Amino acid sequence: MRGAWVARAIGAVAAYAVTIAVASPSAQAETLASALAKAYQNNPQLNAQRAIVRQTDELVPQALSGYRPTLSVTASAGSQYTDTKVISSGQTVHLDGPTTPRAVGLTGQQTLFNGFQTANRTRAAESQISAARETLRVMEQTILLAAATIYMDVLRDTASLEVQRSNIRVLTETLKQTRDRFNVGEVTRTDVAQAEAQLAAGQSALHAAESTLVTSRGNYRRIIGVEPVALAPGMPVDRLSPPTLITAVALGTAENPSVTAAMFGIDAALLQVKIAEGALYPKVTLTGNVQQQYDATISTPQLFTASALFGVTIPLYQGGTEYSTIRQSKETLGQQRLNLDQVRDQARANVVQSWGQLEAAKAQMVAAQQQVTASEVALNGVREEARVGQRTTLDVLNAQQALVNARLALVNAQHDRVVASYNLLSSVGRLSPQALRLPTSAYDPMVHYQQVRDTWFGVRTPDGR
């Protein structure tokens, strides 16, 4: 009777370990998609990266300012004493006395040509913005992958804890049976000690599982922003992954945001070379000045001046700084090109690694399920043999522990199967809220860019700060 109870308890452990990853979610459950949406909206690290993109957006209006005039108002007032001798018509006229000169003026300057530096600065700023957006995509993928991983970690650790608790119940019953058999002389004191040792080991594993779950729940709160409550099973996203490894590698080396960010970095570095070369070109400016003066001198109570001047500055030699800057910019361009090769190689390696991990996770799930089935059969057989005296208590305990280990391996395999599918999607650059169809609106960096691009003045940000 008690043997049947133990068998049913082991069966409950088996059923829980499987259903934790395949059961249908309840109406109140937190789904993996909703958890990813919360992380996408609320994760502070991701929001900080969005702020960096908004900072980078300001590079364009700063560059465009080179096309716009500069205006300044000057004003001055003071006191002075003048002693002047003026010869007029052969006679000397002596003028002296205090005055209070006052002046107000307006000066404007417009750059007409500066070696195409303004145009190149604008294009370089746009390339930097594009690179910043791709870096934001990298962060988005990192956070979404971390959120999917921690979601599955909590599910795995919850299932593992339940397996250990069920194991404790089974071991407690086994120890009780062993003591009863010892009291009637069917087993020795050694069998009782073996059951006690196995129970103590199970309790140690239970405490370790509890600690692991607490850590996972804390990380869940850190990444997703809420406490994990009633998590629904997570499912792999194989439907979004490339069908073959060759296709996955091609996508990873072309669409991975780390690769595209490096490509925009090359564009920005090339334009920096052109900006540096612009320092060798002449600079043409138009300067206008209007000034009204009062009491400038004793003999000039009021003076108004207005001027409009074209100015041309031709650089001949400036100590070699401009030439050094050009050479330095070219070396930076070469570095960016080498960096792109390195990033592509890393992206290719990540895709191959992720593909291998996913294939291994699929095989491990099949093997773990077979291991669980075989361990269940083995445990039932060992129990029946022990009942007729052909097996010892240690054999039963070992078979029971083998089944528990098989269940834990299945839980881990189910976890790794889902995480590996998200990892492959990230390595090819397709882990995004749009591809996953998350229940949230995607962040559009173009909105802020369009708001600030042609702004001529104002210190408030578009959100009112």
Side-chain angles (χ1 to χ4, degrees):
M1 185 71 178
R2 285 174 178 168
W5 182 92
V6 172
R8 287 195 299 271
I10 291 292
V13 175
Y16 186 87
V18 175
T19 56
I20 194 69
V22 299
S24 299
S26 63
Q28 295 80 17
E30 175 86 279
T31 65
L32 180 52
S34 63
L36 293 180
K38 291 177 180 177
Y40 181 78
Q41 291 292 343
N42 303 323
N43 186 272
Q45 187 177 5
L46 182 54
N47 286 327
Q49 190 66 40
R50 290 167 180 158
I52 292 176
V53 175
R54 293 193 294 271
Q55 295 172 27
T56 310
D57 287 343
E58 296 291 349
L59 293 178
V60 168
Q62 291 171 15
L64 289 174
S65 66
Y67 286 125
R68 300 166 186 162
T70 61
L71 298 174
S72 60
V73 174
T74 60
S76 62
S79 177
Q80 68 180 12
Y81 178 84
T82 305
D83 188 348
T84 305
K85 291 183 180 180
V86 180
I87 299 176
S88 177
S89 301
Q91 295 184 357
T92 300
V93 180
H94 187 203
L95 300 175
D96 66 314
T99 58
T100 55
R102 304 175 304 282
V104 60
L106 174 65
T107 301
Q109 186 177 70
Q110 174 67 60
T111 300
L112 302 179
F113 181 75
N114 60 356
F116 309 105
Q117 288 183 322
T118 299
N120 289 325
R121 285 195 179 100
T122 302
R123 293 166 57 197
E126 290 172 344
S127 295
Q128 289 176 285
I129 290 172
S130 297
R133 291 174 184 170
E134 294 305 299
T135 303
L136 175 60
R137 284 184 57 210
V138 173
M139 182 59 67
E140 287 177 350
Q141 293 201 144
T142 299
I143 295 303
L144 290 176
L145 179 58
T149 302
I150 195 60
Y151 185 98
M152 295 306 301
D153 287 352
V154 173
L155 283 179
R156 176 199 61 194
D157 297 339
T158 300
S160 298
L161 179 59
E162 186 59 30
V163 169
Q164 296 295 350
R165 286 173 176 169
S166 299
N167 185 43
I168 291 297
R169 292 193 291 269
V170 172
L171 292 175
T172 301
E173 180 62 21
T174 300
L175 177 59
K176 185 176 183 300
Q177 291 181 15
T178 304
R179 284 174 176 169
D180 291 343
R181 295 176 65 190
F182 173 74
N183 291 334
V184 298
E186 293 183 3
V187 296
T188 65
R189 178 63 186 170
T190 300
D191 295 288
V192 176
Q194 289 171 340
E196 291 174 342
Q198 196 74 2
L199 177 59
Q203 290 172 338
S204 176
L206 173 65
H207 296 321
E210 290 173 341
S211 175
T212 301
L213 178 58
V214 169
T215 301
S216 295
R217 291 176 66 89
N219 288 329
Y220 186 101
R221 175 66 176 81
R222 175 179 60 86
I223 295 173
I224 297 180
V226 296
E227 294 293 337
V229 179
L231 302 186
M235 301 300 294
V237 287
D238 293 345
R239 69 188 186 281
L240 304 175
S241 300
T244 64
L245 176 58
I246 295 177
T247 305
V249 170
L251 287 174
T253 54
E255 297 184 8
N256 188 291
S258 297
V259 175
T260 52
M263 294 172 65
F264 284 119
I266 291 178
D267 294 339
L270 178 60
L271 290 165
Q272 287 296 332
V273 173
K274 294 183 178 181
I275 292 171
E277 291 174 344
L280 300 178
Y281 286 77
K283 182 178 181 180
V284 181
T285 60
L286 172 62
T287 303
N289 183 69
V290 177
Q291 189 176 51
Q292 178 67 56
Q293 301 181 62
Y294 299 95
D295 295 334
T297 65
I298 294 177
S299 61
T300 311
Q302 185 172 329
L303 177 65
F304 175 81
T305 60
S307 64
L309 302 173
F310 283 98
V312 178
T313 302
I314 302 176
L316 297 178
Y317 184 71
Q318 303 174 62
T321 301
E322 66 277 26
Y323 303 112
S324 176
T325 302
I326 293 172
R327 296 193 302 269
Q328 183 183 43
S329 300
K330 289 181 178 179
E331 292 294 345
T332 302
L333 175 59
Q335 178 206 350
Q336 290 295 329
R337 286 172 173 161
L338 294 172
N339 180 61
L340 175 59
D341 294 337
Q342 178 185 356
V343 172
R344 277 180 173 156
D345 290 341
Q346 185 62 56
R348 183 181 294 107
N350 290 341
V351 171
V352 174
Q353 180 182 5
S354 300
W355 185 274
Q357 290 174 342
L358 180 58
E359 293 300 312
K362 293 177 181 178
Q364 287 170 353
M365 268 202 64
V366 175
Q369 290 170 343
Q370 295 174 346
Q371 181 184 1
V372 168
T373 301
S375 298
E376 289 175 344
V377 174
L379 177 58
N380 292 332
V382 169
R383 286 194 175 280
E384 290 299 325
E385 292 171 0
R387 186 177 301 173
V388 296
Q390 295 181 349
R391 293 282 186 170
T392 65
T393 301
L394 181 59
D395 293 329
V396 176
L397 293 173
N398 288 339
Q400 180 178 313
Q401 186 60 43
L403 178 57
V404 171
N405 292 340
R407 290 300 175 192
L408 293 175
L410 178 57
V411 169
N412 286 325
Q414 291 166 339
H415 165 276
D416 295 343
R417 171 74 175 83
V418 176
V419 172
S421 68
Y422 276 87
N423 196 30
L424 176 60
L425 204 61
S426 174
S427 65
V428 299
R430 289 187 172 180
L431 187 59
S432 65
Q434 297 90 339
L436 297 175
R437 296 184 178 179
L438 300 182
T440 182
S441 58
Y443 178 81
D444 186 4
M446 280 296 295
V447 174
H448 181 269
Y449 173 77
Q450 295 295 345
Q451 290 173 333
V452 302
R453 186 184 190 278
D454 296 314
T455 301
W456 283 52
F457 54 87
V459 297
R460 287 189 177 275
T461 59
D463 58 4
R465 288 175 291 161

